[in-house]
Amino acid sequence: SSSAYAILDVAPIGPDYLTGHAHADTLAFELSILSTRVIVNGGTSLYEKGPVRLKERGTASHSTVEINGKNSSDVWSSFRVGKRAYPMNLSVNKKHDEIYICCFHNGYKRLQGKPLHQRIWKFKKNSLKIEDKIFNNFDNAIARFYLHPDIQVIKVKKNLYLLKTGLISLTFSVSIGEARIQNGFYSPEFGKRLKTKCLAVNFKSTDNVVVEINWNKNEL
């Protein structure tokens, strides 16, 4: 869609010999509608060793799926990474006005049950559907969608939210999973850490989550 711009993280976290700045963010994404940032990742506010640095590098601070409360890549200290996620089986297909992108990653195979995360993005003219699926066994999982601080989130009813600024209005709906609003942080630049909101979607007794973001051209 000419009104939407997205950045998808379907690449390795960095060269194997230089991963110090890497985050555990495989299969995360960011989304802008008409140049208004909507979905973001947590960002980086500092390099100083400590809990804030670890949290900002962790999977839970990114718009992707966290399994069993663990990071997809084993980030530690300020600039260290142990076992890391590798994306696999990336495919991109375009048909008429629909773009379909699919990718797996193996970062959680080190856990018991060896779970694999698959994410599919389906872009249409005025919508984006995100389908997350976990293969093999896992205890719990959460798909998080961090909102830019300028976005106001309003709960309409269970699993349906309105996202709006003065310029745009979108709906965020969950057809599989259970959503709730969480508090979070967004760092647009070094030294700045802003409060924001996150839509967290639990894998509720299922191995998949499906959400859809819609923007009506008549409202833009």
Side-chain angles (χ1 to χ4, degrees), residues 32-68:
S32 296
I33 305 297
L34 284 184
S35 301
T36 297
R37 299 190 72 177
V38 179
I39 305 294
V40 296
N41 287 294
T44 299
S45 68
L46 51 73
Y47 289 152
E48 181 182 342
K49 185 177 179 179
V52 173
R53 172 70 173 156
L54 281 176
K55 187 172 180 62
E56 289 182 348
R57 297 181 76 201
T59 300
S61 291
H62 297 84
S63 293
T64 186
V65 171
E66 178 191 48
I67 299 177
N68 293 359

PDB file of all heavy atoms in Angstrom, residues 32-68:
ATOM      1  N   SER A  32       4.609   2.195   9.746  1.00  0.00           N
ATOM      2  CA  SER A  32       4.165   3.583   9.666  1.00  0.00           C
ATOM      3  C   SER A  32       3.007   3.680   8.671  1.00  0.00           C
ATOM      4  O   SER A  32       3.000   2.985   7.652  1.00  0.00           O
ATOM      5  CB  SER A  32       5.295   4.510   9.199  1.00  0.00           C
ATOM      6  OG  SER A  32       6.347   4.528  10.134  1.00  0.00           O
ATOM      7  N   ILE A  33       2.035   4.520   9.002  1.00  0.00           N
ATOM      8  CA  ILE A  33       0.909   4.782   8.108  1.00  0.00           C
ATOM      9  C   ILE A  33       0.887   6.273   7.796  1.00  0.00           C
ATOM     10  O   ILE A  33       0.843   7.102   8.710  1.00  0.00           O
ATOM     11  CB  ILE A  33      -0.435   4.373   8.741  1.00  0.00           C
ATOM     12  CG1 ILE A  33      -0.406   2.909   9.194  1.00  0.00           C
ATOM     13  CG2 ILE A  33      -1.587   4.612   7.762  1.00  0.00           C
ATOM     14  CD1 ILE A  33      -0.216   1.900   8.088  1.00  0.00           C
ATOM     15  N   LEU A  34       0.958   6.615   6.507  1.00  0.00           N
ATOM     16  CA  LEU A  34       1.014   8.013   6.071  1.00  0.00           C
ATOM     17  C   LEU A  34       2.070   8.797   6.861  1.00  0.00           C
ATOM     18  O   LEU A  34       1.796   9.876   7.393  1.00  0.00           O
ATOM     19  CB  LEU A  34      -0.351   8.682   6.212  1.00  0.00           C
ATOM     20  CG  LEU A  34      -1.395   8.320   5.160  1.00  0.00           C
ATOM     21  CD1 LEU A  34      -2.657   9.145   5.375  1.00  0.00           C
ATOM     22  CD2 LEU A  34      -0.865   8.557   3.750  1.00  0.00           C
ATOM     23  N   SER A  35       3.249   8.216   6.981  1.00  0.00           N
ATOM     24  CA  SER A  35       4.404   8.826   7.666  1.00  0.00           C
ATOM     25  C   SER A  35       4.213   8.973   9.176  1.00  0.00           C
ATOM     26  O   SER A  35       5.034   9.609   9.838  1.00  0.00           O
ATOM     27  CB  SER A  35       4.741  10.195   7.053  1.00  0.00           C
ATOM     28  OG  SER A  35       5.032  10.061   5.676  1.00  0.00           O
ATOM     29  N   THR A  36       3.145   8.409   9.722  1.00  0.00           N
ATOM     30  CA  THR A  36       2.938   8.396  11.170  1.00  0.00           C
ATOM     31  C   THR A  36       3.388   7.050  11.717  1.00  0.00           C
ATOM     32  O   THR A  36       2.878   6.004  11.286  1.00  0.00           O
ATOM     33  CB  THR A  36       1.460   8.620  11.520  1.00  0.00           C
ATOM     34  OG1 THR A  36       1.060   9.910  11.058  1.00  0.00           O
ATOM     35  CG2 THR A  36       1.231   8.541  13.021  1.00  0.00           C
ATOM     36  N   ARG A  37       4.320   7.065  12.648  1.00  0.00           N
ATOM     37  CA  ARG A  37       4.822   5.807  13.193  1.00  0.00           C
ATOM     38  C   ARG A  37       3.772   5.192  14.114  1.00  0.00           C
ATOM     39  O   ARG A  37       3.233   5.865  14.989  1.00  0.00           O
ATOM     40  CB  ARG A  37       6.140   6.033  13.929  1.00  0.00           C
ATOM     41  CG  ARG A  37       7.226   6.590  13.007  1.00  0.00           C
ATOM     42  CD  ARG A  37       8.577   6.588  13.648  1.00  0.00           C
ATOM     43  NE  ARG A  37       9.097   5.225  13.762  1.00  0.00           N
ATOM     44  CZ  ARG A  37      10.310   4.940  14.236  1.00  0.00           C
ATOM     45  NH1 ARG A  37      11.102   5.905  14.653  1.00  0.00           N
ATOM     46  NH2 ARG A  37      10.726   3.690  14.292  1.00  0.00           N
ATOM     47  N   VAL A  38       3.497   3.923  13.904  1.00  0.00           N
ATOM     48  CA  VAL A  38       2.458   3.230  14.666  1.00  0.00           C
ATOM     49  C   VAL A  38       3.067   2.126  15.522  1.00  0.00           C
ATOM     50  O   VAL A  38       3.046   2.188  16.749  1.00  0.00           O
ATOM     51  CB  VAL A  38       1.374   2.658  13.721  1.00  0.00           C
ATOM     52  CG1 VAL A  38       0.307   1.909  14.525  1.00  0.00           C
ATOM     53  CG2 VAL A  38       0.737   3.761  12.885  1.00  0.00           C
ATOM     54  N   ILE A  39       3.618   1.078  14.897  1.00  0.00           N
ATOM     55  CA  ILE A  39       4.283  -0.018  15.608  1.00  0.00           C
ATOM     56  C   ILE A  39       5.785   0.253  15.599  1.00  0.00           C
ATOM     57  O   ILE A  39       6.362   0.547  14.543  1.00  0.00           O
ATOM     58  CB  ILE A  39       3.995  -1.380  14.952  1.00  0.00           C
ATOM     59  CG1 ILE A  39       2.489  -1.624  14.831  1.00  0.00           C
ATOM     60  CG2 ILE A  39       4.679  -2.506  15.732  1.00  0.00           C
ATOM     61  CD1 ILE A  39       1.769  -1.778  16.144  1.00  0.00           C
ATOM     62  N   VAL A  40       6.414   0.147  16.765  1.00  0.00           N
ATOM     63  CA  VAL A  40       7.844   0.406  16.888  1.00  0.00           C
ATOM     64  C   VAL A  40       8.484  -0.715  17.708  1.00  0.00           C
ATOM     65  O   VAL A  40       7.817  -1.630  18.184  1.00  0.00           O
ATOM     66  CB  VAL A  40       8.109   1.773  17.576  1.00  0.00           C
ATOM     67  CG1 VAL A  40       7.582   2.917  16.730  1.00  0.00           C
ATOM     68  CG2 VAL A  40       7.507   1.806  18.978  1.00  0.00           C
ATOM     69  N   ASN A  41       9.800  -0.625  17.879  1.00  0.00           N
ATOM     70  CA  ASN A  41      10.525  -1.461  18.825  1.00  0.00           C
ATOM     71  C   ASN A  41      11.069  -0.562  19.930  1.00  0.00           C
ATOM     72  O   ASN A  41      11.091   0.666  19.799  1.00  0.00           O
ATOM     73  CB  ASN A  41      11.642  -2.225  18.122  1.00  0.00           C
ATOM     74  CG  ASN A  41      11.090  -3.351  17.265  1.00  0.00           C
ATOM     75  OD1 ASN A  41      10.525  -4.314  17.771  1.00  0.00           O
ATOM     76  ND2 ASN A  41      11.237  -3.231  15.954  1.00  0.00           N
ATOM     77  N   GLY A  42      11.507  -1.169  21.018  1.00  0.00           N
ATOM     78  CA  GLY A  42      11.880  -0.394  22.198  1.00  0.00           C
ATOM     79  C   GLY A  42      13.019   0.582  22.011  1.00  0.00           C
ATOM     80  O   GLY A  42      13.062   1.634  22.638  1.00  0.00           O
ATOM     81  N   GLY A  43      13.987   0.226  21.152  1.00  0.00           N
ATOM     82  CA  GLY A  43      15.113   1.117  20.913  1.00  0.00           C
ATOM     83  C   GLY A  43      16.209   0.979  21.959  1.00  0.00           C
ATOM     84  O   GLY A  43      16.186   0.090  22.819  1.00  0.00           O
ATOM     85  N   THR A  44      17.182   1.892  21.890  1.00  0.00           N
ATOM     86  CA  THR A  44      18.353   1.869  22.776  1.00  0.00           C
ATOM     87  C   THR A  44      18.550   3.246  23.392  1.00  0.00           C
ATOM     88  O   THR A  44      18.685   4.236  22.682  1.00  0.00           O
ATOM     89  CB  THR A  44      19.619   1.489  21.989  1.00  0.00           C
ATOM     90  OG1 THR A  44      19.450   0.176  21.437  1.00  0.00           O
ATOM     91  CG2 THR A  44      20.854   1.487  22.880  1.00  0.00           C
ATOM     92  N   SER A  45      18.547   3.308  24.720  1.00  0.00           N
ATOM     93  CA  SER A  45      18.747   4.592  25.401  1.00  0.00           C
ATOM     94  C   SER A  45      20.132   4.718  26.014  1.00  0.00           C
ATOM     95  O   SER A  45      20.568   5.829  26.323  1.00  0.00           O
ATOM     96  CB  SER A  45      17.693   4.784  26.491  1.00  0.00           C
ATOM     97  OG  SER A  45      17.880   3.857  27.545  1.00  0.00           O
ATOM     98  N   LEU A  46      20.828   3.580  26.205  1.00  0.00           N
ATOM     99  CA  LEU A  46      22.149   3.630  26.841  1.00  0.00           C
ATOM    100  C   LEU A  46      22.942   2.366  26.529  1.00  0.00           C
ATOM    101  O   LEU A  46      22.397   1.371  26.051  1.00  0.00           O
ATOM    102  CB  LEU A  46      22.022   3.804  28.363  1.00  0.00           C
ATOM    103  CG  LEU A  46      21.092   2.865  29.164  1.00  0.00           C
ATOM    104  CD1 LEU A  46      21.651   1.464  29.299  1.00  0.00           C
ATOM    105  CD2 LEU A  46      20.867   3.433  30.557  1.00  0.00           C
ATOM    106  N   TYR A  47      24.248   2.425  26.779  1.00  0.00           N
ATOM    107  CA  TYR A  47      25.131   1.266  26.637  1.00  0.00           C
ATOM    108  C   TYR A  47      25.648   0.779  27.983  1.00  0.00           C
ATOM    109  O   TYR A  47      26.348  -0.226  28.067  1.00  0.00           O
ATOM    110  CB  TYR A  47      26.332   1.599  25.745  1.00  0.00           C
ATOM    111  CG  TYR A  47      26.005   1.778  24.279  1.00  0.00           C
ATOM    112  CD1 TYR A  47      26.785   2.618  23.482  1.00  0.00           C
ATOM    113  CD2 TYR A  47      24.937   1.112  23.685  1.00  0.00           C
ATOM    114  CE1 TYR A  47      26.508   2.776  22.131  1.00  0.00           C
ATOM    115  CE2 TYR A  47      24.654   1.273  22.344  1.00  0.00           C
ATOM    116  CZ  TYR A  47      25.439   2.103  21.565  1.00  0.00           C
ATOM    117  OH  TYR A  47      25.164   2.262  20.233  1.00  0.00           O
ATOM    118  N   GLU A  48      25.333   1.503  29.047  1.00  0.00           N
ATOM    119  CA  GLU A  48      25.851   1.175  30.368  1.00  0.00           C
ATOM    120  C   GLU A  48      25.343  -0.180  30.842  1.00  0.00           C
ATOM    121  O   GLU A  48      24.144  -0.487  30.761  1.00  0.00           O
ATOM    122  CB  GLU A  48      25.422   2.261  31.362  1.00  0.00           C
ATOM    123  CG  GLU A  48      25.930   2.047  32.775  1.00  0.00           C
ATOM    124  CD  GLU A  48      25.442   3.132  33.726  1.00  0.00           C
ATOM    125  OE1 GLU A  48      25.008   4.198  33.239  1.00  0.00           O
ATOM    126  OE2 GLU A  48      25.494   2.912  34.941  1.00  0.00           O
ATOM    127  N   LYS A  49      26.235  -1.004  31.350  1.00  0.00           N
ATOM    128  CA  LYS A  49      25.880  -2.332  31.839  1.00  0.00           C
ATOM    129  C   LYS A  49      24.874  -2.224  32.974  1.00  0.00           C
ATOM    130  O   LYS A  49      25.029  -1.410  33.883  1.00  0.00           O
ATOM    131  CB  LYS A  49      27.144  -3.051  32.315  1.00  0.00           C
ATOM    132  CG  LYS A  49      26.930  -4.494  32.741  1.00  0.00           C
ATOM    133  CD  LYS A  49      28.268  -5.119  33.123  1.00  0.00           C
ATOM    134  CE  LYS A  49      28.107  -6.556  33.576  1.00  0.00           C
ATOM    135  NZ  LYS A  49      29.405  -7.164  33.932  1.00  0.00           N
ATOM    136  N   GLY A  50      23.811  -3.040  32.927  1.00  0.00           N
ATOM    137  CA  GLY A  50      22.815  -3.009  33.981  1.00  0.00           C
ATOM    138  C   GLY A  50      21.465  -3.487  33.495  1.00  0.00           C
ATOM    139  O   GLY A  50      21.305  -3.898  32.334  1.00  0.00           O
ATOM    140  N   PRO A  51      20.440  -3.433  34.360  1.00  0.00           N
ATOM    141  CA  PRO A  51      19.125  -3.984  34.020  1.00  0.00           C
ATOM    142  C   PRO A  51      18.422  -3.274  32.859  1.00  0.00           C
ATOM    143  O   PRO A  51      17.702  -3.919  32.101  1.00  0.00           O
ATOM    144  CB  PRO A  51      18.326  -3.845  35.321  1.00  0.00           C
ATOM    145  CG  PRO A  51      19.052  -2.818  36.133  1.00  0.00           C
ATOM    146  CD  PRO A  51      20.491  -2.953  35.760  1.00  0.00           C
ATOM    147  N   VAL A  52      18.615  -1.959  32.715  1.00  0.00           N
ATOM    148  CA  VAL A  52      17.959  -1.247  31.612  1.00  0.00           C
ATOM    149  C   VAL A  52      18.534  -1.697  30.275  1.00  0.00           C
ATOM    150  O   VAL A  52      17.797  -1.968  29.317  1.00  0.00           O
ATOM    151  CB  VAL A  52      18.086   0.286  31.779  1.00  0.00           C
ATOM    152  CG1 VAL A  52      17.553   1.012  30.537  1.00  0.00           C
ATOM    153  CG2 VAL A  52      17.321   0.743  33.012  1.00  0.00           C
ATOM    154  N   ARG A  53      19.853  -1.819  30.207  1.00  0.00           N
ATOM    155  CA  ARG A  53      20.512  -2.274  28.975  1.00  0.00           C
ATOM    156  C   ARG A  53      20.047  -3.689  28.609  1.00  0.00           C
ATOM    157  O   ARG A  53      19.718  -3.972  27.450  1.00  0.00           O
ATOM    158  CB  ARG A  53      22.033  -2.234  29.172  1.00  0.00           C
ATOM    159  CG  ARG A  53      22.858  -2.862  28.050  1.00  0.00           C
ATOM    160  CD  ARG A  53      22.810  -2.058  26.776  1.00  0.00           C
ATOM    161  NE  ARG A  53      23.738  -2.590  25.785  1.00  0.00           N
ATOM    162  CZ  ARG A  53      23.616  -2.408  24.473  1.00  0.00           C
ATOM    163  NH1 ARG A  53      22.608  -1.691  24.000  1.00  0.00           N
ATOM    164  NH2 ARG A  53      24.484  -2.903  23.628  1.00  0.00           N
ATOM    165  N   LEU A  54      19.980  -4.579  29.594  1.00  0.00           N
ATOM    166  CA  LEU A  54      19.536  -5.945  29.331  1.00  0.00           C
ATOM    167  C   LEU A  54      18.084  -5.975  28.859  1.00  0.00           C
ATOM    168  O   LEU A  54      17.736  -6.711  27.936  1.00  0.00           O
ATOM    169  CB  LEU A  54      19.690  -6.805  30.588  1.00  0.00           C
ATOM    170  CG  LEU A  54      21.098  -7.319  30.904  1.00  0.00           C
ATOM    171  CD1 LEU A  54      21.103  -8.077  32.225  1.00  0.00           C
ATOM    172  CD2 LEU A  54      21.617  -8.216  29.778  1.00  0.00           C
ATOM    173  N   LYS A  55      17.256  -5.159  29.501  1.00  0.00           N
ATOM    174  CA  LYS A  55      15.841  -5.130  29.121  1.00  0.00           C
ATOM    175  C   LYS A  55      15.664  -4.602  27.701  1.00  0.00           C
ATOM    176  O   LYS A  55      14.871  -5.143  26.925  1.00  0.00           O
ATOM    177  CB  LYS A  55      15.048  -4.280  30.113  1.00  0.00           C
ATOM    178  CG  LYS A  55      13.537  -4.321  29.897  1.00  0.00           C
ATOM    179  CD  LYS A  55      12.805  -3.628  31.027  1.00  0.00           C
ATOM    180  CE  LYS A  55      11.290  -3.671  30.820  1.00  0.00           C
ATOM    181  NZ  LYS A  55      10.757  -5.040  30.790  1.00  0.00           N
ATOM    182  N   GLU A  56      16.401  -3.548  27.359  1.00  0.00           N
ATOM    183  CA  GLU A  56      16.265  -2.971  26.022  1.00  0.00           C
ATOM    184  C   GLU A  56      16.747  -3.926  24.935  1.00  0.00           C
ATOM    185  O   GLU A  56      16.251  -3.879  23.806  1.00  0.00           O
ATOM    186  CB  GLU A  56      17.024  -1.646  25.941  1.00  0.00           C
ATOM    187  CG  GLU A  56      16.340  -0.535  26.731  1.00  0.00           C
ATOM    188  CD  GLU A  56      17.021   0.809  26.634  1.00  0.00           C
ATOM    189  OE1 GLU A  56      18.172   0.874  26.136  1.00  0.00           O
ATOM    190  OE2 GLU A  56      16.418   1.810  27.054  1.00  0.00           O
ATOM    191  N   ARG A  57      17.690  -4.794  25.253  1.00  0.00           N
ATOM    192  CA  ARG A  57      18.179  -5.767  24.273  1.00  0.00           C
ATOM    193  C   ARG A  57      17.282  -6.997  24.193  1.00  0.00           C
ATOM    194  O   ARG A  57      17.385  -7.777  23.245  1.00  0.00           O
ATOM    195  CB  ARG A  57      19.605  -6.210  24.617  1.00  0.00           C
ATOM    196  CG  ARG A  57      20.641  -5.104  24.564  1.00  0.00           C
ATOM    197  CD  ARG A  57      22.023  -5.656  24.888  1.00  0.00           C
ATOM    198  NE  ARG A  57      22.579  -6.402  23.771  1.00  0.00           N
ATOM    199  CZ  ARG A  57      23.548  -7.317  23.884  1.00  0.00           C
ATOM    200  NH1 ARG A  57      24.032  -7.632  25.072  1.00  0.00           N
ATOM    201  NH2 ARG A  57      24.012  -7.932  22.825  1.00  0.00           N
ATOM    202  N   GLY A  58      16.404  -7.197  25.179  1.00  0.00           N
ATOM    203  CA  GLY A  58      15.625  -8.421  25.282  1.00  0.00           C
ATOM    204  C   GLY A  58      14.448  -8.490  24.324  1.00  0.00           C
ATOM    205  O   GLY A  58      13.927  -7.480  23.844  1.00  0.00           O
ATOM    206  N   THR A  59      13.995  -9.695  24.069  1.00  0.00           N
ATOM    207  CA  THR A  59      12.875  -9.934  23.165  1.00  0.00           C
ATOM    208  C   THR A  59      11.612  -9.220  23.627  1.00  0.00           C
ATOM    209  O   THR A  59      10.835  -8.712  22.806  1.00  0.00           O
ATOM    210  CB  THR A  59      12.612 -11.449  23.047  1.00  0.00           C
ATOM    211  OG1 THR A  59      13.799 -12.083  22.540  1.00  0.00           O
ATOM    212  CG2 THR A  59      11.461 -11.754  22.105  1.00  0.00           C
ATOM    213  N   ALA A  60      11.390  -9.154  24.944  1.00  0.00           N
ATOM    214  CA  ALA A  60      10.166  -8.554  25.476  1.00  0.00           C
ATOM    215  C   ALA A  60      10.061  -7.060  25.205  1.00  0.00           C
ATOM    216  O   ALA A  60       8.997  -6.468  25.411  1.00  0.00           O
ATOM    217  CB  ALA A  60      10.059  -8.819  26.981  1.00  0.00           C
ATOM    218  N   SER A  61      11.141  -6.418  24.740  1.00  0.00           N
ATOM    219  CA  SER A  61      11.108  -4.989  24.404  1.00  0.00           C
ATOM    220  C   SER A  61      10.947  -4.760  22.902  1.00  0.00           C
ATOM    221  O   SER A  61      11.174  -3.655  22.415  1.00  0.00           O
ATOM    222  CB  SER A  61      12.386  -4.305  24.900  1.00  0.00           C
ATOM    223  OG  SER A  61      12.409  -4.263  26.316  1.00  0.00           O
ATOM    224  N   HIS A  62      10.561  -5.803  22.181  1.00  0.00           N
ATOM    225  CA  HIS A  62      10.442  -5.704  20.728  1.00  0.00           C
ATOM    226  C   HIS A  62       9.098  -6.236  20.249  1.00  0.00           C
ATOM    227  O   HIS A  62       8.443  -7.018  20.931  1.00  0.00           O
ATOM    228  CB  HIS A  62      11.583  -6.482  20.061  1.00  0.00           C
ATOM    229  CG  HIS A  62      12.934  -5.933  20.367  1.00  0.00           C
ATOM    230  ND1 HIS A  62      13.625  -6.277  21.516  1.00  0.00           N
ATOM    231  CD2 HIS A  62      13.710  -5.029  19.717  1.00  0.00           C
ATOM    232  CE1 HIS A  62      14.775  -5.617  21.546  1.00  0.00           C
ATOM    233  NE2 HIS A  62      14.843  -4.854  20.467  1.00  0.00           N
ATOM    234  N   SER A  63       8.713  -5.810  19.062  1.00  0.00           N
ATOM    235  CA  SER A  63       7.427  -6.209  18.479  1.00  0.00           C
ATOM    236  C   SER A  63       7.565  -7.557  17.782  1.00  0.00           C
ATOM    237  O   SER A  63       7.536  -7.666  16.548  1.00  0.00           O
ATOM    238  CB  SER A  63       6.929  -5.127  17.516  1.00  0.00           C
ATOM    239  OG  SER A  63       6.612  -3.954  18.238  1.00  0.00           O
ATOM    240  N   THR A  64       7.730  -8.585  18.613  1.00  0.00           N
ATOM    241  CA  THR A  64       7.869  -9.955  18.130  1.00  0.00           C
ATOM    242  C   THR A  64       7.341 -10.890  19.209  1.00  0.00           C
ATOM    243  O   THR A  64       6.677 -10.457  20.146  1.00  0.00           O
ATOM    244  CB  THR A  64       9.323 -10.254  17.726  1.00  0.00           C
ATOM    245  OG1 THR A  64       9.396 -11.551  17.118  1.00  0.00           O
ATOM    246  CG2 THR A  64      10.266 -10.194  18.914  1.00  0.00           C
ATOM    247  N   VAL A  65       7.632 -12.186  19.091  1.00  0.00           N
ATOM    248  CA  VAL A  65       7.095 -13.190  20.011  1.00  0.00           C
ATOM    249  C   VAL A  65       8.163 -13.648  21.002  1.00  0.00           C
ATOM    250  O   VAL A  65       9.290 -13.964  20.612  1.00  0.00           O
ATOM    251  CB  VAL A  65       6.546 -14.400  19.230  1.00  0.00           C
ATOM    252  CG1 VAL A  65       6.187 -15.555  20.169  1.00  0.00           C
ATOM    253  CG2 VAL A  65       5.327 -13.991  18.413  1.00  0.00           C
ATOM    254  N   GLU A  66       7.787 -13.656  22.270  1.00  0.00           N
ATOM    255  CA  GLU A  66       8.642 -14.183  23.333  1.00  0.00           C
ATOM    256  C   GLU A  66       8.063 -15.519  23.796  1.00  0.00           C
ATOM    257  O   GLU A  66       6.867 -15.612  24.066  1.00  0.00           O
ATOM    258  CB  GLU A  66       8.676 -13.205  24.507  1.00  0.00           C
ATOM    259  CG  GLU A  66       9.511 -13.684  25.686  1.00  0.00           C
ATOM    260  CD  GLU A  66       9.304 -12.804  26.914  1.00  0.00           C
ATOM    261  OE1 GLU A  66       8.128 -12.526  27.251  1.00  0.00           O
ATOM    262  OE2 GLU A  66      10.294 -12.427  27.538  1.00  0.00           O
ATOM    263  N   ILE A  67       8.910 -16.548  23.861  1.00  0.00           N
ATOM    264  CA  ILE A  67       8.470 -17.889  24.261  1.00  0.00           C
ATOM    265  C   ILE A  67       9.090 -18.261  25.602  1.00  0.00           C
ATOM    266  O   ILE A  67      10.303 -18.091  25.812  1.00  0.00           O
ATOM    267  CB  ILE A  67       8.857 -18.937  23.187  1.00  0.00           C
ATOM    268  CG1 ILE A  67       8.187 -18.604  21.846  1.00  0.00           C
ATOM    269  CG2 ILE A  67       8.470 -20.349  23.636  1.00  0.00           C
ATOM    270  CD1 ILE A  67       8.571 -19.539  20.709  1.00  0.00           C
ATOM    271  N   ASN A  68       8.247 -18.756  26.500  1.00  0.00           N
ATOM    272  CA  ASN A  68       8.678 -19.234  27.825  1.00  0.00           C
ATOM    273  C   ASN A  68       9.446 -18.179  28.616  1.00  0.00           C
ATOM    274  O   ASN A  68      10.317 -18.514  29.437  1.00  0.00           O
ATOM    275  CB  ASN A  68       9.516 -20.512  27.710  1.00  0.00           C
ATOM    276  CG  ASN A  68       8.720 -21.705  27.205  1.00  0.00           C
ATOM    277  OD1 ASN A  68       7.526 -21.587  26.950  1.00  0.00           O
ATOM    278  ND2 ASN A  68       9.373 -22.843  27.042  1.00  0.00           N
TER     279      ASN A  68
END
